[in-house]
Amino acid sequence: MICVDLHLHTQFSFDASIGPKFIVEALNVHPIIKGVAITDHNTLEGYFHVRRFAAAYEDIVIVPGVEVTTMLGDVIVLGVEEKPAYWSTLESVVDFAKDRNGVIVVPHPYRGGGIGDAAKKIPNGLAAVEILSPDSTALENKMAETLARTCNMPGVAGSDAHHIHQMWRAYTEINADPNVESILKAIKECHVKPVLVKSMI
Protein backbone atom coordinates (compact mmCIF):
# COMPACT_ATOMS: atom_id res chain seq x y z
CA MET A 1 0.00 0.00 0.00
CA ILE A 2 1.15 3.51 -0.80
CA CYS A 3 -0.33 6.89 0.12
CA VAL A 4 -0.40 9.34 -2.77
CA ASP A 5 -1.53 12.95 -3.03
CA LEU A 6 -3.20 12.74 -6.44
CA HIS A 7 -3.59 16.48 -7.10
CA LEU A 8 -0.73 18.94 -6.54
CA HIS A 9 0.55 21.95 -8.46
CA THR A 10 4.04 23.42 -8.80
CA GLN A 11 5.21 26.93 -9.60
CA PHE A 12 4.76 26.03 -13.27
CA SER A 13 1.01 26.41 -12.84
CA PHE A 14 0.05 30.05 -13.38
CA ASP A 15 -1.63 30.22 -9.97
CA ALA A 16 0.81 28.20 -7.82
CA SER A 17 4.11 28.77 -6.04
CA ILE A 18 5.48 25.41 -4.84
CA GLY A 19 9.04 24.62 -5.96
CA PRO A 20 9.77 21.16 -7.37
CA LYS A 21 12.73 20.56 -5.07
CA PHE A 22 10.65 21.44 -2.01
CA ILE A 23 8.00 18.87 -3.01
CA VAL A 24 10.57 16.09 -3.14
CA GLU A 25 12.18 17.10 0.15
CA ALA A 26 8.76 17.26 1.84
CA LEU A 27 7.82 13.82 0.48
CA ASN A 28 11.09 12.37 1.70
CA VAL A 29 10.44 13.35 5.31
CA HIS A 30 6.68 12.75 5.37
CA PRO A 31 5.80 9.78 7.61
CA ILE A 32 2.85 8.58 5.52
CA ILE A 33 2.64 10.08 2.03
CA LYS A 34 5.31 8.73 -0.31
CA GLY A 35 3.80 9.53 -3.70
CA VAL A 36 2.43 12.55 -5.49
CA ALA A 37 0.79 13.24 -8.83
CA ILE A 38 2.05 16.50 -10.32
CA THR A 39 -1.00 18.01 -12.01
CA ASP A 40 -0.09 21.47 -13.26
CA HIS A 41 -2.51 23.42 -15.40
CA ASN A 42 -1.93 22.58 -19.08
CA THR A 43 1.79 21.84 -18.66
CA LEU A 44 4.05 18.98 -17.62
CA GLU A 45 7.12 21.13 -17.02
CA GLY A 46 6.76 20.94 -13.24
CA TYR A 47 6.48 17.15 -13.37
CA PHE A 48 9.76 16.79 -15.25
CA HIS A 49 11.55 18.97 -12.69
CA VAL A 50 10.06 17.08 -9.73
CA ARG A 51 10.95 13.74 -11.32
CA ARG A 52 14.55 14.88 -11.78
CA PHE A 53 14.91 15.81 -8.11
CA ALA A 54 13.15 12.62 -7.01
CA ALA A 55 15.64 10.40 -8.85
CA ALA A 56 17.90 10.56 -5.78
CA TYR A 57 15.29 8.84 -3.59
CA GLU A 58 14.26 5.21 -3.89
CA ASP A 59 11.10 5.22 -1.76
CA ILE A 60 9.04 8.02 -3.32
CA VAL A 61 6.93 7.88 -6.48
CA ILE A 62 6.15 10.76 -8.81
CA VAL A 63 3.09 10.19 -10.98
CA PRO A 64 2.98 12.18 -14.23
CA GLY A 65 -0.16 14.18 -14.79
CA VAL A 66 -1.72 17.32 -16.15
CA GLU A 67 -4.86 19.27 -15.29
CA VAL A 68 -6.41 20.02 -18.65
CA THR A 69 -8.70 22.96 -19.35
CA THR A 70 -11.61 21.69 -21.42
CA MET A 71 -14.65 23.50 -22.74
CA LEU A 72 -16.68 22.06 -19.85
CA GLY A 73 -14.15 22.57 -17.06
CA ASP A 74 -10.98 20.96 -15.74
CA VAL A 75 -10.05 17.28 -15.82
CA ILE A 76 -6.83 15.60 -14.75
CA VAL A 77 -5.08 12.98 -16.85
CA LEU A 78 -2.64 10.75 -14.94
CA GLY A 79 0.05 8.53 -16.40
CA VAL A 80 0.90 10.66 -19.43
CA GLU A 81 4.03 12.63 -20.24
CA GLU A 82 2.44 14.84 -22.87
CA LYS A 83 -0.62 17.05 -22.80
CA PRO A 84 -3.75 17.36 -24.92
CA ALA A 85 -4.49 20.59 -26.72
CA TYR A 86 -5.55 23.57 -24.62
CA TRP A 87 -9.32 24.15 -24.52
CA SER A 88 -10.02 20.59 -25.65
CA THR A 89 -13.41 18.97 -25.72
CA LEU A 90 -14.06 16.43 -22.97
CA GLU A 91 -14.46 13.76 -25.64
CA SER A 92 -11.02 14.47 -27.09
CA VAL A 93 -9.40 14.27 -23.64
CA VAL A 94 -11.11 10.92 -23.05
CA ASP A 95 -9.72 9.66 -26.36
CA PHE A 96 -6.29 11.09 -25.48
CA ALA A 97 -6.22 9.25 -22.14
CA LYS A 98 -7.55 6.02 -23.62
CA ASP A 99 -4.93 5.99 -26.40
CA ARG A 100 -2.13 6.40 -23.82
CA ASN A 101 -3.52 4.06 -21.15
CA GLY A 102 -3.94 7.03 -18.82
CA VAL A 103 -6.43 7.58 -16.04
CA ILE A 104 -8.77 10.55 -15.88
CA VAL A 105 -9.51 12.09 -12.50
CA VAL A 106 -12.50 14.43 -12.28
CA PRO A 107 -11.32 17.07 -9.79
CA HIS A 108 -13.73 18.94 -7.50
CA PRO A 109 -16.63 18.32 -9.91
CA TYR A 110 -19.08 20.68 -8.20
CA ARG A 111 -16.68 23.47 -7.28
CA GLY A 112 -15.47 26.23 -9.58
CA GLY A 113 -13.81 24.82 -12.68
CA GLY A 114 -15.33 21.37 -12.20
CA ILE A 115 -17.21 19.52 -14.94
CA GLY A 116 -20.09 18.41 -12.72
CA ASP A 117 -22.53 15.93 -14.21
CA ALA A 118 -20.62 15.94 -17.52
CA ALA A 119 -18.42 13.32 -15.84
CA LYS A 120 -21.19 10.83 -16.59
CA LYS A 121 -20.07 10.95 -20.24
CA ILE A 122 -16.72 9.35 -19.37
CA PRO A 123 -16.69 5.57 -19.97
CA ASN A 124 -16.39 3.22 -17.00
CA GLY A 125 -12.93 1.93 -16.24
CA LEU A 126 -11.19 5.08 -17.44
CA ALA A 127 -11.82 7.61 -14.68
CA ALA A 128 -12.00 8.31 -10.97
CA VAL A 129 -13.75 11.15 -9.14
CA GLU A 130 -12.07 13.37 -6.56
CA ILE A 131 -14.61 12.96 -3.76
CA LEU A 132 -12.56 14.61 -1.00
CA SER A 133 -11.17 18.03 -1.88
CA PRO A 134 -10.06 20.30 0.99
CA ASP A 135 -11.27 23.46 -0.76
CA SER A 136 -14.71 22.07 -1.52
CA THR A 137 -17.61 22.34 0.89
CA ALA A 138 -18.98 19.28 2.65
CA LEU A 139 -21.97 19.41 0.32
CA GLU A 140 -19.79 19.64 -2.79
CA ASN A 141 -17.75 16.65 -1.63
CA LYS A 142 -20.94 14.72 -0.87
CA MET A 143 -22.25 15.48 -4.36
CA ALA A 144 -18.93 14.27 -5.80
CA GLU A 145 -19.23 11.05 -3.79
CA THR A 146 -22.74 10.50 -5.14
CA LEU A 147 -21.46 11.12 -8.67
CA ALA A 148 -18.73 8.52 -8.25
CA ARG A 149 -21.18 5.97 -6.88
CA THR A 150 -23.73 6.65 -9.62
CA CYS A 151 -21.09 6.31 -12.34
CA ASN A 152 -19.42 3.30 -10.67
CA MET A 153 -16.13 5.21 -10.57
CA PRO A 154 -13.47 5.02 -7.84
CA GLY A 155 -13.42 7.86 -5.33
CA VAL A 156 -10.02 9.45 -4.69
CA ALA A 157 -8.55 12.47 -2.90
CA GLY A 158 -5.84 15.05 -3.41
CA SER A 159 -4.81 18.26 -1.73
CA ASP A 160 -5.13 20.46 -4.84
CA ALA A 161 -2.24 22.34 -3.24
CA HIS A 162 -1.08 25.49 -4.99
CA HIS A 163 0.99 26.81 -2.07
CA ILE A 164 3.17 25.17 0.56
CA HIS A 165 0.71 25.48 3.44
CA GLN A 166 -1.89 23.54 1.43
CA MET A 167 0.24 20.44 0.82
CA TRP A 168 -0.85 16.98 2.00
CA ARG A 169 -4.32 18.09 3.20
CA ALA A 170 -5.80 15.07 1.43
CA TYR A 171 -4.41 11.91 -0.11
CA THR A 172 -5.41 8.48 -1.35
CA GLU A 173 -4.44 5.15 0.15
CA ILE A 174 -3.77 2.91 -2.84
CA ASN A 175 -3.38 -0.85 -2.65
CA ALA A 176 -0.49 -0.90 -5.09
CA ASP A 177 3.23 -1.38 -5.39
CA PRO A 178 5.30 1.83 -5.27
CA ASN A 179 5.45 2.45 -9.01
CA VAL A 180 3.36 4.42 -11.48
CA GLU A 181 2.03 1.45 -13.45
CA SER A 182 0.79 -0.35 -10.35
CA ILE A 183 -0.77 2.83 -8.94
CA LEU A 184 -2.71 3.56 -12.14
CA LYS A 185 -3.92 -0.04 -12.36
CA ALA A 186 -5.09 0.03 -8.74
CA ILE A 187 -7.01 3.28 -9.29
CA LYS A 188 -8.80 1.80 -12.29
CA GLU A 189 -9.66 -1.31 -10.26
CA CYS A 190 -10.97 0.76 -7.34
CA HIS A 191 -8.35 -0.38 -4.84
CA VAL A 192 -8.33 3.06 -3.25
CA LYS A 193 -9.41 4.87 -0.09
CA PRO A 194 -9.60 8.69 -0.01
CA VAL A 195 -8.41 10.47 3.14
CA LEU A 196 -9.06 14.04 4.26
CA VAL A 197 -6.50 15.23 6.80
CA LYS A 198 -8.07 16.89 9.85
CA SER A 199 -4.92 18.72 10.83
CA MET A 200 -1.44 19.06 9.40
CA ILE A 201 0.98 16.23 10.17
Side-chain angles (χ1 to χ4, degrees):
M1 195 268 287
I2 183 169
C3 295
V4 184
D5 184 338
L6 287 175
H7 187 177
L8 190 141
H9 298 267
T10 77
Q11 65 194 39
F12 293 95
S13 282
F14 69 91
D15 55 354
S17 62
I18 309 173
K21 186 177 181 182
F22 183 86
I23 292 170
V24 172
E25 291 172 345
L27 265 183
N28 184 49
V29 299
H30 199 285
I32 298 171
I33 300 171
K34 291 301 172 184
V36 64
I38 303 300
T39 56
D40 284 318
H41 294 288
N42 302 302
T43 180
L44 282 110
E45 190 169 357
Y47 158 71
F48 290 117
H49 285 281
V50 173
R51 187 182 69 176
R52 178 168 55 85
F53 287 117
Y57 303 90
E58 292 183 357
D59 64 337
I60 63 176
V61 180
I62 310 302
V63 179
V66 59
E67 187 165 358
V68 183
T69 303
T70 78
M71 295 178 183
L72 295 175
D74 294 339
V75 295
I76 291 170
V77 184
L78 299 179
V80 298
E81 295 191 358
E82 56 185 311
K83 61 185 178 71
Y86 178 74
W87 208 247
S88 299
T89 64
L90 179 59
E91 291 79 10
S92 68
V93 175
V94 167
D95 289 341
F96 176 91
K98 191 183 300 183
D99 290 346
R100 291 159 181 80
N101 203 29
V103 175
I104 291 176
V105 174
V106 180
H108 48 78
Y110 297 104
R111 183 160 56 80
I115 66 170
D117 287 347
K120 295 175 181 178
K121 299 178 181 179
I122 303 174
N124 283 344
L126 186 64
V129 178
E130 186 178 79
I131 66 171
L132 290 179
S133 176
D135 293 323
S136 296
T137 66
L139 176 59
E140 288 166 343
N141 281 333
K142 189 67 177 175
M143 291 171 67
E145 184 179 357
T146 300
L147 174 68
R149 188 169 57 250
T150 300
C151 296
N152 196 30
M153 291 181 182
V156 298
S159 67
D160 194 8
H162 287 68
H163 308 288
I164 287 172
H165 69 277
Q166 300 172 322
M167 294 171 68
W168 321 138
R169 297 177 300 166
Y171 61 91
T172 305
E173 293 179 359
I174 304 176
N175 187 9
D177 294 327
N179 63 72
V180 173
E181 183 179 356
S182 181
I183 288 169
L184 296 178
K185 184 174 185 286
I187 294 172
K188 288 180 178 179
E189 295 176 354
C190 207
H191 300 311
V192 293
K193 178 184 176 184
V195 178
L196 190 62
V197 178
K198 300 294 184 185
S199 59
M200 298 306 295
I201 294 174

